[in-house]
Amino acid sequence: CVLRVYEYLHVHTAENHLAARECLETILETDPEFADGNAWLGYLYGEEYHHRWNENPDVYDSLDRANEFAETAMRLDPTSHVVHGAMALTLFFRGDYERARIESLKTIELNPNDALWLALMGLYLIQQEDFEIGVPMFSKAIEVNPHPPPWQGMGHFYEHYHFGRFEDALTDARSIGRSGDFRTELFIAAALGQLGRAEDAAPYLEEMLKFWGRPATELRRELIERHALSQGLTDHLLEGLAKAGLEGVVSSP
């Protein structure tokens, strides 16, 4: 079941997410004190909230479930870096960034050479504009595993975009891959918008809106709440989308 989680981490699809989640749920029915299993299941429910994949909001709140499993895992084994990592991600989504940062650092302290958790913790710190800690963490992940899954391109994208290196950001965005996550098209369109290439951005905006499936006015809230981006980084991305020609984007109130 844990290997199925790793498959999902390398190939981000709703199908792989569901397969890993259902597998762990079955295991925990017979072995409820499997600490890392609880942690990984908490992570997957956090991903469910994050991507809106396989949600069943009429039955449960996915972020509440993520928190419950993370807390259970922490009670069972507070020495596991996976447990602290799952807790950190849940806290990022809940908007408790200071505690999330503490748990991120604890995750890496417990296992400083786990490329996956270096990348995950570094990515979310970068998303909160904590570049001083997040970028070295993320860079070390690449050193440990020089053949990372495509989503790790996000860390470099955010860094380059934040500092105005839009050509580099565009290259990073194109490297992420297109798995139905609207953010890939969003990143490309925003970078093109900042480069003054609105005409080139038009098809990416169209694809983004198709995958997004919601009004552009809701993008800001989605990026902050469901993707744990800082307000500053979010507004910078929305600025790029507006320059690319997207109407209805709402930046800071």
Side-chain angles (χ1 to χ4, degrees):
C1 289
V2 172
L3 288 175
R4 289 194 177 188
V5 179
Y6 277 93
E7 180 181 11
Y8 164 71
L9 284 160
H10 281 78
V11 184
H12 264 52
T13 65
E15 293 74 19
N16 282 348
H17 171 270
L18 183 61
R21 194 197 74 189
E22 289 182 339
C23 189
L24 281 171
E25 285 173 335
T26 300
I27 292 298
L28 291 179
E29 286 177 4
T30 55
D31 189 6
E33 296 197 350
F34 175 27
D36 280 8
N38 276 277
W40 280 119
L41 191 52
Y43 166 78
L44 289 171
Y45 274 111
E47 285 286 279
E48 186 172 314
Y49 172 80
H50 176 38
H51 290 289
R52 296 182 182 270
W53 284 341
N54 306 304
E55 280 191 303
N56 195 352
D58 293 335
V59 178
Y60 60 84
D61 181 281
S62 52
L63 191 53
D64 284 347
R65 281 205 174 176
N67 188 63
E68 289 167 8
F69 281 109
E71 287 185 343
T72 297
M74 189 68 75
R75 174 179 58 80
L76 292 169
D77 187 3
T79 67
S80 166
H81 75 289
V82 175
V83 169
H84 285 275
M87 179 61 76
L89 291 171
T90 299
L91 291 167
F92 274 118
F93 292 133
R94 292 171 71 91
D96 192 344
Y97 303 124
E98 186 54 40
R99 286 182 61 205
R101 183 177 183 274
I102 292 170
E103 290 296 337
S104 298
L105 296 177
K106 185 65 175 179
T107 301
I108 305 308
E109 177 188 330
L110 288 169
N111 193 335
N113 294 306
D114 187 319
L116 171 63
W117 286 104
L118 282 164
L120 284 171
M121 298 295 92
L123 175 60
Y124 279 88
L125 289 169
I126 288 170
Q127 290 182 180
Q128 286 298 310
E129 300 184 72
D130 192 343
F131 298 102
E132 185 176 351
I133 294 178
V135 170
M137 200 179 287
F138 200 81
S139 297
K140 184 177 179 181
I142 303 296
E143 292 176 10
V144 175
N145 177 17
H147 303 288
W151 59 262
Q152 287 194 27
M154 289 185 182
H156 297 303
F157 168 82
Y158 289 130
E159 179 191 6
H160 287 141
Y161 189 92
H162 172 82
F163 290 106
R165 299 190 289 266
F166 299 121
E167 287 286 2
D168 291 332
L170 180 60
T171 299
D172 296 327
R174 294 188 188 281
S175 75
I176 293 171
R178 305 174 75 182
S179 62
D181 185 330
F182 75 96
R183 287 175 300 168
T184 301
E185 281 70 25
L186 185 155
F187 296 156
I188 294 173
L192 288 169
Q194 296 287 8
L195 290 167
R197 296 168 57 185
E199 186 175 344
D200 292 336
Y204 295 101
L205 289 177
E206 184 178 348
E207 285 292 293
M208 183 197 78
L209 291 172
K210 183 178 74 173
F211 289 135
W212 167 236
R214 290 176 174 79
T217 53
E218 297 180 13
L219 265 174
R220 186 175 192 273
R221 180 175 178 179
E222 184 82 3
L223 291 173
I224 292 171
E225 292 186 1
R226 297 251 178 178
H227 299 276
L229 267 66
S230 71
Q231 294 186 26
L233 184 54
T234 297
D235 290 336
H236 198 187
L237 287 169
L238 295 181
E239 176 189 86
L241 294 180
K243 290 179 178 180
L246 182 64
E247 298 180 355
V249 290
V250 176
S251 59
S252 57

